[in-house]
């Protein structure tokens, strides 16, 4: 088992038992205690857990990020409806940014009737869908370091390139959302890309289904006062009221 695979399994073990000792993990994964200590140090550095005397406990924001493939079938109907609603907002001639994600990708199939679009994206799966479509658009591809799990371009080169652009609308994917923390995601590098996309857009739209409510991840990339619109499939009246009090417009799919 490679180190990255073992570290994911360590997090899963902690998610089940909440805490584990170095000795227990060493036996479970059949590696030395020194190897487990290195694993725990690396996971702590990335915010997934907290070291304790002789072991570790789960961090409150330690959720592992599922891969693009693992997420694509979850709430598929809801994501499709959210994507269509987002596409309805796009006008002929718009310049738009489409973030990586299994919800944002659903925008693409509803753009065939639009004209003269400019689409900016850092996501391989979105770029491929546009390439295979008949959409009337100029496609601007953000290059950088390729993250295999989410199929997103990230890192300093991607950040520098994106900062130089301006778009009418940015459609942003979300891993976790709540009224206290705002929008969160597991990876600081993806968080930075999302922050930049928000900053270059005249308007931003946060797309997420109801399963993302109350999920909390390592990196906050947007407070509520940074958000213009939320497009979602379902939310309580109390949450809708709270968003509107923050001048966030809610669009239900």
């Amino acid at each position: 088992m490679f180190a990255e695979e073992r570290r994911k399994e360590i997090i899963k073990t902690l998610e089940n038992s909440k805490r584990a000792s170095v000795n227990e993990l060493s036996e479970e994964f059949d590696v030395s205690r020194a190897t487990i200590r290195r694993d725990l140090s690396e996971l702590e550095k990335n915010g997934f857990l907290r070291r304790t005397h002789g072991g570790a406990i789960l961090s409150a924001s330690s959720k592992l990020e599922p891969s693009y493939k693992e997420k694509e079938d979850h709430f598929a109907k809801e994501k499709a409806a959210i994507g269509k609603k987002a596409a309805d907002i796009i006008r002929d001639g718009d310049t738009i940014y489409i973030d990586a994600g299994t919800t944002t990708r659903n925008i693409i199939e509803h753009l065939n009737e639009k004209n003269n679009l400019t689409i900016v994206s850092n996501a391989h799966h979105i770029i491929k869908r546009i390439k295979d479509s008949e959409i009337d658009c100029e496609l601007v591809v953000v290059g950088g370091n390729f993250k295999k799990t989410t199929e997103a371009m990230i890192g300093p080169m991607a950040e520098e390139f994106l900062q130089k652009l301006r778009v009418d609308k940015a459609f942003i994917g979300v891993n976790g959302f709540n009224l206290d923390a705002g929008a969160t995601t597991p990876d600081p590098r993806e968080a930075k890309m999302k922050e930049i996309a928000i900053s270059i857009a005249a308007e931003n739209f946060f797309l997420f289904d109801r399963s993302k409510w109350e999920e909390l991840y390592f990196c906050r990339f947007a407070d509520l006062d940074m958000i213009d619109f939320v497009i979602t499939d379902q939310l309580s009246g109390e949450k809708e009221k709270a968003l509107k009090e923050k001048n966030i417009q809610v669009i239900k799919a």
Side-chain angles (χ1 to χ4, degrees), residues 34-213:
T35 296
I36 291 296
R37 290 191 187 99
R38 285 195 295 271
D39 288 340
L40 297 181
S41 294
E42 188 66 22
L43 289 167
E44 183 178 45
K45 185 169 69 175
N46 288 288
F48 291 116
L49 54 77
R50 284 197 298 114
R51 297 289 301 276
T52 62
H53 181 69
I57 61 175
L58 197 66
S59 168
S61 58
S62 64
K63 294 182 178 69
L64 284 172
E65 182 173 22
S67 71
Y68 173 81
K69 294 296 184 183
E70 290 170 329
K71 292 189 294 184
E72 64 179 340
D73 293 331
H74 296 175
F75 289 87
K77 288 183 180 179
E78 291 82 359
K79 291 175 179 179
I82 292 167
K84 183 179 186 307
K85 187 64 71 171
D88 289 344
I89 295 163
I90 297 167
R91 300 288 175 256
D92 290 350
D94 272 351
T95 296
I96 63 174
Y97 176 82
I98 303 181
D99 189 22
T102 55
T103 303
T104 51
R105 69 163 189 169
N106 284 282
I107 296 172
I108 304 304
E109 63 194 74
H110 301 290
L111 296 181
N112 286 324
E113 302 303 316
K114 311 291 182 180
N115 296 303
N116 194 31
L117 299 178
T118 299
I119 303 176
V120 182
S121 185
N122 70 325
H124 177 266
H125 52 272
I126 286 171
I127 293 162
K128 186 177 184 302
R129 280 197 166 198
I130 295 170
K131 178 183 74 71
D132 295 338
S133 75
E134 300 296 327
I135 299 170
D136 176 17
C137 74
E138 180 168 350
L139 176 60
V140 179
V141 177
V142 179
N145 299 91
F146 181 63
K147 182 179 175 183
K148 289 177 68 175
T149 52
T150 59
E151 300 187 5
M153 294 294 186
I154 55 176
M157 288 187 292
E159 293 166 13
E160 183 179 359
F161 180 82
L162 190 58
Q163 283 172 336
K164 295 177 181 178
L165 306 182
R166 292 294 179 268
V167 299
D168 299 310
K169 300 177 175 81
F171 297 92
I172 307 296
V174 174
N175 293 81
F177 193 93
N178 71 46
L179 296 174
D180 295 320
T184 59
T185 196
D187 189 331
R189 299 165 301 172
E190 290 215 58
K192 184 63 176 177
M193 290 296 290
K194 293 173 189 288
E195 288 174 1
I196 294 170
I198 293 164
S199 73
I200 66 169
E203 295 180 310
N204 62 68
F205 300 79
F206 282 56
L207 279 58
F208 57 93
D209 64 73
R210 62 183 178 273
S211 71
K212 307 297 174 60
W213 276 100

Side-chain angles (χ1 to χ4, degrees), residues 238-249:
E238 181 182 353
K239 287 174 178 172
E240 184 172 1
K241 179 182 177 183
L243 292 176
K244 289 180 177 179
E245 286 174 352
K246 290 287 187 177
N247 296 317
I248 299 171
Q249 296 189 48

